[in-house]
Amino acid sequence: MATITFIGLGNMGGPMASNLVKAGHDVTVFDLSKDAVSALVAEGAKTADSAQQAVSGAECVITMLPAGQHVEAVYLGDNGLLATLPAGTLVIDSSTIAPETARGVAEAAKARDIPFMDAPVSGGVGGAKAGTLTFICGGAEETFGKARPILEAMGKNIFHAGEHGSGQVAKICNNMLLAILMAGTSEALALGVKNGLDPAVLSEIMKQSSGGNWALNVYNPWPGVMEGVPASRGYEGGFLVNLMTKDLGLAFDNAVKNQASIPMGALARNLFQLHAGQGNGTLDFSSIQRLYKPE
Ligand code: NAD
């Protein structure tokens, strides 16, 4: 069992840290939200007054933060963790950020002999709670080998995508596809309901037909069709519209840099931005269904 510090206990990080505690690791947690920290302490984690204090004695540090600027703030600069961590400490960042930001942190870590890996996740809050996340890792093979047994306490599928930043590239591609699928699923459901169909019946038909996809299988966006998903609790919790918009921005920036064409991704980005601009940024991303006015 390892001594692990987990920083960022939000919708995803909270249940991920909880699974590390359940697996018997010695876990210290830190978050700017005191409530998030208290919930983990109640489950057996330790805590500290600052991120710097929380990482003291850690063999492994894991971060699960909203965006690139938070990751840079935590790791880089004079007060950043890389300046204080001993050489050899395994550092894993599971936030979804730009590949070049991940590479920048990896380089700064390498200069201090600290093995770093980008390891963004897929599977949503449900996957985080169930410990069935998919981890998409970028970094050296040796670092991947060290990280794998720790990630296994939080995930089921653990992929090594390639060198530093590769995990983020794969994650960005996946989330762009997810946004397109969620918007498309919402659109199809709205059209069917306009024609008088029951959304649950239509969902079941499409699930078993060629339009079947992850949104229909485990994350239905229509209120009341599926139990336990954000759509059935007013789109609270889950994966925020603001975070999906961030990820679509990462895909767009990456496409511009690489002269790649992403017309569907660009359209999805516009739809989610429009939706966020209408005051829905802190709702779950499946609330894109509201753009098609089901309620
Ligand atoms: P969240 O906003 O719920 O949680 C982020 C947490 O980080 C918050 O508790 C916040 O207080 C904390 N935080 C921010 N800055 C901090 C700092 N400097 N020090 C300590 N704590 C700090 O976000 P989330 O939904 O858990 O997502 C986290 C990351 O995972 C994002 O990059 C997101 O894109 C990605 N992601 C989310 C989902 C999902 O379904 N929610 C799925 C896959 C990936």
Side-chain angles (χ1 to χ4, degrees), residues 6-18 21 27-48 64:
F6 201 109
I7 300 173
L9 307 167
N11 288 321
M12 295 295 286
M16 288 165 73
S18 170
V21 173
V27 182
T28 300
V29 296
F30 181 74
D31 193 291
L32 300 178
S33 155
K34 295 224 174 342
D35 287 349
V37 169
S38 302
L40 261 293
V41 168
E43 292 188 30
K46 296 174 202 150
T47 189
M64 190 53 164

mmCIF file of all heavy atoms in Angstrom, residues 6-18 21 27-48 64:
data_model
loop_
_atom_site.group_PDB
_atom_site.id
_atom_site.type_symbol
_atom_site.label_atom_id
_atom_site.label_comp_id
_atom_site.label_asym_id
_atom_site.label_seq_id
_atom_site.Cartn_x
_atom_site.Cartn_y
_atom_site.Cartn_z
ATOM 1 N N PHE A 6 -3.886 13.327 -2.324
ATOM 2 C CA PHE A 6 -4.849 13.590 -3.398
ATOM 3 C C PHE A 6 -5.339 15.029 -3.267
ATOM 4 O O PHE A 6 -5.879 15.430 -2.239
ATOM 5 C CB PHE A 6 -6.029 12.615 -3.291
ATOM 6 C CG PHE A 6 -6.793 12.459 -4.578
ATOM 7 C CD1 PHE A 6 -6.710 11.291 -5.313
ATOM 8 C CD2 PHE A 6 -7.572 13.505 -5.073
ATOM 9 C CE1 PHE A 6 -7.403 11.146 -6.508
ATOM 10 C CE2 PHE A 6 -8.264 13.371 -6.271
ATOM 11 C CZ PHE A 6 -8.178 12.192 -6.993
ATOM 12 N N ILE A 7 -5.155 15.803 -4.338
ATOM 13 C CA ILE A 7 -5.534 17.222 -4.319
ATOM 14 C C ILE A 7 -6.616 17.489 -5.373
ATOM 15 O O ILE A 7 -6.426 17.178 -6.552
ATOM 16 C CB ILE A 7 -4.302 18.112 -4.586
ATOM 17 C CG1 ILE A 7 -3.255 17.867 -3.505
ATOM 18 C CG2 ILE A 7 -4.699 19.595 -4.628
ATOM 19 C CD1 ILE A 7 -1.925 18.559 -3.745
ATOM 20 N N GLY A 8 -7.750 18.057 -4.928
ATOM 21 C CA GLY A 8 -8.876 18.332 -5.843
ATOM 22 C C GLY A 8 -9.972 17.307 -5.625
ATOM 23 O O GLY A 8 -9.988 16.254 -6.262
ATOM 24 N N LEU A 9 -10.881 17.612 -4.685
ATOM 25 C CA LEU A 9 -11.886 16.630 -4.256
ATOM 26 C C LEU A 9 -13.279 17.017 -4.738
ATOM 27 O O LEU A 9 -14.233 17.010 -3.982
ATOM 28 C CB LEU A 9 -11.879 16.526 -2.725
ATOM 29 C CG LEU A 9 -10.504 16.253 -2.107
ATOM 30 C CD1 LEU A 9 -10.545 16.498 -0.600
ATOM 31 C CD2 LEU A 9 -10.052 14.831 -2.403
ATOM 32 N N GLY A 10 -13.400 17.340 -6.015
ATOM 33 C CA GLY A 10 -14.695 17.753 -6.564
ATOM 34 C C GLY A 10 -15.551 16.563 -6.938
ATOM 35 O O GLY A 10 -15.444 15.479 -6.348
ATOM 36 N N ASN A 11 -16.394 16.750 -7.943
ATOM 37 C CA ASN A 11 -17.311 15.689 -8.376
ATOM 38 C C ASN A 11 -16.577 14.389 -8.686
ATOM 39 O O ASN A 11 -17.087 13.302 -8.413
ATOM 40 C CB ASN A 11 -18.073 16.147 -9.622
ATOM 41 C CG ASN A 11 -19.109 17.199 -9.288
ATOM 42 O OD1 ASN A 11 -19.785 17.129 -8.260
ATOM 43 N ND2 ASN A 11 -19.232 18.209 -10.137
ATOM 44 N N MET A 12 -15.389 14.504 -9.263
ATOM 45 C CA MET A 12 -14.608 13.318 -9.634
ATOM 46 C C MET A 12 -13.587 12.947 -8.557
ATOM 47 O O MET A 12 -13.472 11.787 -8.154
ATOM 48 C CB MET A 12 -13.864 13.576 -10.950
ATOM 49 C CG MET A 12 -14.757 13.765 -12.146
ATOM 50 S SD MET A 12 -15.690 12.287 -12.563
ATOM 51 C CE MET A 12 -14.414 11.268 -13.278
ATOM 52 N N GLY A 13 -12.805 13.952 -8.124
ATOM 53 C CA GLY A 13 -11.715 13.680 -7.181
ATOM 54 C C GLY A 13 -12.196 13.119 -5.858
ATOM 55 O O GLY A 13 -11.533 12.249 -5.274
ATOM 56 N N GLY A 14 -13.366 13.581 -5.388
ATOM 57 C CA GLY A 14 -13.904 13.081 -4.110
ATOM 58 C C GLY A 14 -14.063 11.560 -4.119
ATOM 59 O O GLY A 14 -13.422 10.856 -3.321
ATOM 60 N N PRO A 15 -14.879 11.036 -5.036
ATOM 61 C CA PRO A 15 -15.035 9.572 -5.064
ATOM 62 C C PRO A 15 -13.756 8.818 -5.429
ATOM 63 O O PRO A 15 -13.554 7.685 -4.969
ATOM 64 C CB PRO A 15 -16.125 9.341 -6.115
ATOM 65 C CG PRO A 15 -16.436 10.646 -6.740
ATOM 66 C CD PRO A 15 -15.878 11.723 -5.877
ATOM 67 N N MET A 16 -12.877 9.424 -6.224
ATOM 68 C CA MET A 16 -11.612 8.743 -6.563
ATOM 69 C C MET A 16 -10.753 8.580 -5.306
ATOM 70 O O MET A 16 -10.206 7.501 -5.036
ATOM 71 C CB MET A 16 -10.855 9.537 -7.634
ATOM 72 C CG MET A 16 -11.496 9.468 -9.015
ATOM 73 S SD MET A 16 -10.856 10.718 -10.147
ATOM 74 C CE MET A 16 -9.223 10.081 -10.510
ATOM 75 N N ALA A 17 -10.650 9.661 -4.520
ATOM 76 C CA ALA A 17 -9.866 9.588 -3.281
ATOM 77 C C ALA A 17 -10.496 8.590 -2.317
ATOM 78 O O ALA A 17 -9.789 7.837 -1.623
ATOM 79 C CB ALA A 17 -9.779 10.978 -2.649
ATOM 80 N N SER A 18 -11.818 8.577 -2.307
ATOM 81 C CA SER A 18 -12.538 7.653 -1.433
ATOM 82 C C SER A 18 -12.180 6.198 -1.770
ATOM 83 O O SER A 18 -11.978 5.362 -0.882
ATOM 84 C CB SER A 18 -14.037 7.909 -1.611
ATOM 85 O OG SER A 18 -14.786 6.935 -0.982
ATOM 86 N N VAL A 21 -8.846 5.276 -0.333
ATOM 87 C CA VAL A 21 -8.956 4.987 1.109
ATOM 88 C C VAL A 21 -9.491 3.568 1.296
ATOM 89 O O VAL A 21 -8.933 2.764 2.060
ATOM 90 C CB VAL A 21 -9.891 6.015 1.816
ATOM 91 C CG1 VAL A 21 -10.131 5.613 3.267
ATOM 92 C CG2 VAL A 21 -9.314 7.428 1.732
ATOM 93 N N VAL A 27 -3.967 7.761 2.769
ATOM 94 C CA VAL A 27 -4.328 8.893 1.904
ATOM 95 C C VAL A 27 -4.442 10.203 2.699
ATOM 96 O O VAL A 27 -5.130 10.270 3.716
ATOM 97 C CB VAL A 27 -5.680 8.622 1.198
ATOM 98 C CG1 VAL A 27 -6.035 9.773 0.257
ATOM 99 C CG2 VAL A 27 -5.629 7.307 0.420
ATOM 100 N N THR A 28 -3.760 11.237 2.194
ATOM 101 C CA THR A 28 -3.924 12.591 2.725
ATOM 102 C C THR A 28 -4.570 13.412 1.614
ATOM 103 O O THR A 28 -4.190 13.297 0.451
ATOM 104 C CB THR A 28 -2.557 13.209 3.096
ATOM 105 O OG1 THR A 28 -1.954 12.380 4.085
ATOM 106 C CG2 THR A 28 -2.723 14.614 3.667
ATOM 107 N N VAL A 29 -5.569 14.226 1.987
ATOM 108 C CA VAL A 29 -6.292 14.980 0.957
ATOM 109 C C VAL A 29 -6.180 16.481 1.198
ATOM 110 O O VAL A 29 -5.973 16.931 2.316
ATOM 111 C CB VAL A 29 -7.795 14.583 0.919
ATOM 112 C CG1 VAL A 29 -7.964 13.141 0.511
ATOM 113 C CG2 VAL A 29 -8.481 14.875 2.250
ATOM 114 N N PHE A 30 -6.350 17.243 0.090
ATOM 115 C CA PHE A 30 -6.415 18.705 0.208
ATOM 116 C C PHE A 30 -7.318 19.256 -0.891
ATOM 117 O O PHE A 30 -7.298 18.782 -2.026
ATOM 118 C CB PHE A 30 -5.023 19.344 0.110
ATOM 119 C CG PHE A 30 -5.092 20.835 0.254
ATOM 120 C CD1 PHE A 30 -5.325 21.416 1.500
ATOM 121 C CD2 PHE A 30 -4.990 21.667 -0.851
ATOM 122 C CE1 PHE A 30 -5.441 22.793 1.642
ATOM 123 C CE2 PHE A 30 -5.103 23.055 -0.721
ATOM 124 C CZ PHE A 30 -5.327 23.621 0.529
ATOM 125 N N ASP A 31 -8.127 20.249 -0.504
ATOM 126 C CA ASP A 31 -8.982 20.966 -1.464
ATOM 127 C C ASP A 31 -9.236 22.349 -0.871
ATOM 128 O O ASP A 31 -9.147 22.541 0.346
ATOM 129 C CB ASP A 31 -10.321 20.220 -1.650
ATOM 130 C CG ASP A 31 -11.110 20.731 -2.860
ATOM 131 O OD1 ASP A 31 -11.607 21.875 -2.821
ATOM 132 O OD2 ASP A 31 -11.218 19.991 -3.849
ATOM 133 N N LEU A 32 -9.547 23.309 -1.722
ATOM 134 C CA LEU A 32 -9.878 24.648 -1.236
ATOM 135 C C LEU A 32 -11.230 24.630 -0.524
ATOM 136 O O LEU A 32 -11.519 25.496 0.296
ATOM 137 C CB LEU A 32 -9.916 25.645 -2.402
ATOM 138 C CG LEU A 32 -8.602 25.790 -3.191
ATOM 139 C CD1 LEU A 32 -8.781 26.763 -4.356
ATOM 140 C CD2 LEU A 32 -7.471 26.250 -2.275
ATOM 141 N N SER A 33 -12.064 23.642 -0.835
ATOM 142 C CA SER A 33 -13.376 23.507 -0.186
ATOM 143 C C SER A 33 -13.244 22.670 1.090
ATOM 144 O O SER A 33 -12.875 21.489 1.034
ATOM 145 C CB SER A 33 -14.363 22.849 -1.149
ATOM 146 O OG SER A 33 -15.386 22.194 -0.426
ATOM 147 N N LYS A 34 -13.576 23.287 2.216
ATOM 148 C CA LYS A 34 -13.462 22.588 3.509
ATOM 149 C C LYS A 34 -14.470 21.431 3.599
ATOM 150 O O LYS A 34 -14.178 20.389 4.181
ATOM 151 C CB LYS A 34 -13.698 23.567 4.662
ATOM 152 C CG LYS A 34 -12.622 24.659 4.745
ATOM 153 C CD LYS A 34 -12.175 24.872 6.177
ATOM 154 C CE LYS A 34 -11.023 25.827 6.380
ATOM 155 N NZ LYS A 34 -10.171 26.168 5.279
ATOM 156 N N ASP A 35 -15.654 21.634 3.005
ATOM 157 C CA ASP A 35 -16.673 20.581 3.040
ATOM 158 C C ASP A 35 -16.197 19.325 2.316
ATOM 159 O O ASP A 35 -16.409 18.200 2.773
ATOM 160 C CB ASP A 35 -17.975 21.067 2.369
ATOM 161 C CG ASP A 35 -18.703 22.080 3.233
ATOM 162 O OD1 ASP A 35 -18.307 22.238 4.407
ATOM 163 O OD2 ASP A 35 -19.647 22.719 2.727
ATOM 164 N N ALA A 36 -15.529 19.560 1.167
ATOM 165 C CA ALA A 36 -15.031 18.415 0.389
ATOM 166 C C ALA A 36 -13.984 17.651 1.199
ATOM 167 O O ALA A 36 -13.968 16.411 1.214
ATOM 168 C CB ALA A 36 -14.435 18.908 -0.931
ATOM 169 N N VAL A 37 -13.131 18.390 1.916
ATOM 170 C CA VAL A 37 -12.092 17.750 2.742
ATOM 171 C C VAL A 37 -12.749 16.971 3.881
ATOM 172 O O VAL A 37 -12.407 15.804 4.126
ATOM 173 C CB VAL A 37 -11.110 18.816 3.298
ATOM 174 C CG1 VAL A 37 -10.198 18.207 4.354
ATOM 175 C CG2 VAL A 37 -10.289 19.433 2.167
ATOM 176 N N SER A 38 -13.732 17.595 4.557
ATOM 177 C CA SER A 38 -14.382 16.943 5.712
ATOM 178 C C SER A 38 -15.006 15.607 5.318
ATOM 179 O O SER A 38 -14.938 14.637 6.074
ATOM 180 C CB SER A 38 -15.491 17.834 6.279
ATOM 181 O OG SER A 38 -14.946 19.054 6.654
ATOM 182 N N ALA A 39 -15.606 15.567 4.122
ATOM 183 C CA ALA A 39 -16.257 14.323 3.683
ATOM 184 C C ALA A 39 -15.236 13.185 3.587
ATOM 185 O O ALA A 39 -15.515 12.052 3.973
ATOM 186 C CB ALA A 39 -16.938 14.546 2.334
ATOM 187 N N LEU A 40 -14.045 13.507 3.110
ATOM 188 C CA LEU A 40 -13.005 12.474 2.966
ATOM 189 C C LEU A 40 -12.388 12.101 4.312
ATOM 190 O O LEU A 40 -12.058 10.938 4.552
ATOM 191 C CB LEU A 40 -11.926 12.955 1.984
ATOM 192 C CG LEU A 40 -12.050 12.435 0.553
ATOM 193 C CD1 LEU A 40 -11.816 10.933 0.485
ATOM 194 C CD2 LEU A 40 -13.409 12.749 -0.047
ATOM 195 N N VAL A 41 -12.254 13.104 5.187
ATOM 196 C CA VAL A 41 -11.697 12.834 6.517
ATOM 197 C C VAL A 41 -12.643 11.880 7.263
ATOM 198 O O VAL A 41 -12.202 10.955 7.955
ATOM 199 C CB VAL A 41 -11.470 14.161 7.296
ATOM 200 C CG1 VAL A 41 -11.168 13.889 8.764
ATOM 201 C CG2 VAL A 41 -10.321 14.946 6.648
ATOM 202 N N ALA A 42 -13.952 12.074 7.063
ATOM 203 C CA ALA A 42 -14.940 11.193 7.698
ATOM 204 C C ALA A 42 -14.795 9.751 7.210
ATOM 205 O O ALA A 42 -15.193 8.813 7.894
ATOM 206 C CB ALA A 42 -16.345 11.703 7.404
ATOM 207 N N GLU A 43 -14.201 9.589 6.041
ATOM 208 C CA GLU A 43 -14.015 8.232 5.496
ATOM 209 C C GLU A 43 -12.658 7.641 5.857
ATOM 210 O O GLU A 43 -12.317 6.550 5.418
ATOM 211 C CB GLU A 43 -14.161 8.269 3.967
ATOM 212 C CG GLU A 43 -15.562 8.582 3.517
ATOM 213 C CD GLU A 43 -15.726 8.430 2.019
ATOM 214 O OE1 GLU A 43 -15.020 7.597 1.408
ATOM 215 O OE2 GLU A 43 -16.565 9.154 1.458
ATOM 216 N N GLY A 44 -11.832 8.413 6.569
ATOM 217 C CA GLY A 44 -10.554 7.852 7.019
ATOM 218 C C GLY A 44 -9.316 8.490 6.425
ATOM 219 O O GLY A 44 -8.196 8.054 6.705
ATOM 220 N N ALA A 45 -9.488 9.542 5.597
ATOM 221 C CA ALA A 45 -8.306 10.224 5.040
ATOM 222 C C ALA A 45 -7.762 11.230 6.053
ATOM 223 O O ALA A 45 -8.482 11.674 6.949
ATOM 224 C CB ALA A 45 -8.688 10.939 3.744
ATOM 225 N N LYS A 46 -6.474 11.572 5.878
ATOM 226 C CA LYS A 46 -5.896 12.646 6.695
ATOM 227 C C LYS A 46 -5.936 13.927 5.878
ATOM 228 O O LYS A 46 -6.162 13.897 4.676
ATOM 229 C CB LYS A 46 -4.425 12.327 7.004
ATOM 230 C CG LYS A 46 -4.232 11.085 7.833
ATOM 231 C CD LYS A 46 -2.731 10.811 7.939
ATOM 232 C CE LYS A 46 -2.491 9.355 8.257
ATOM 233 N NZ LYS A 46 -1.244 8.847 7.716
ATOM 234 N N THR A 47 -5.668 15.072 6.512
ATOM 235 C CA THR A 47 -5.597 16.312 5.751
ATOM 236 C C THR A 47 -4.520 17.225 6.330
ATOM 237 O O THR A 47 -3.861 16.857 7.307
ATOM 238 C CB THR A 47 -6.968 17.022 5.695
ATOM 239 O OG1 THR A 47 -6.880 18.108 4.767
ATOM 240 C CG2 THR A 47 -7.391 17.549 7.052
ATOM 241 N N ALA A 48 -4.339 18.389 5.707
ATOM 242 C CA ALA A 48 -3.342 19.351 6.168
ATOM 243 C C ALA A 48 -3.840 20.743 5.809
ATOM 244 O O ALA A 48 -4.827 20.888 5.088
ATOM 245 C CB ALA A 48 -1.992 19.062 5.507
ATOM 246 N N MET A 64 -6.626 16.318 -9.284
ATOM 247 C CA MET A 64 -7.846 16.245 -10.094
ATOM 248 C C MET A 64 -8.495 17.621 -10.034
ATOM 249 O O MET A 64 -9.416 17.870 -9.257
ATOM 250 C CB MET A 64 -8.772 15.151 -9.526
ATOM 251 C CG MET A 64 -9.938 14.834 -10.424
ATOM 252 S SD MET A 64 -9.396 14.444 -12.087
ATOM 253 C CE MET A 64 -10.816 13.680 -12.788
#
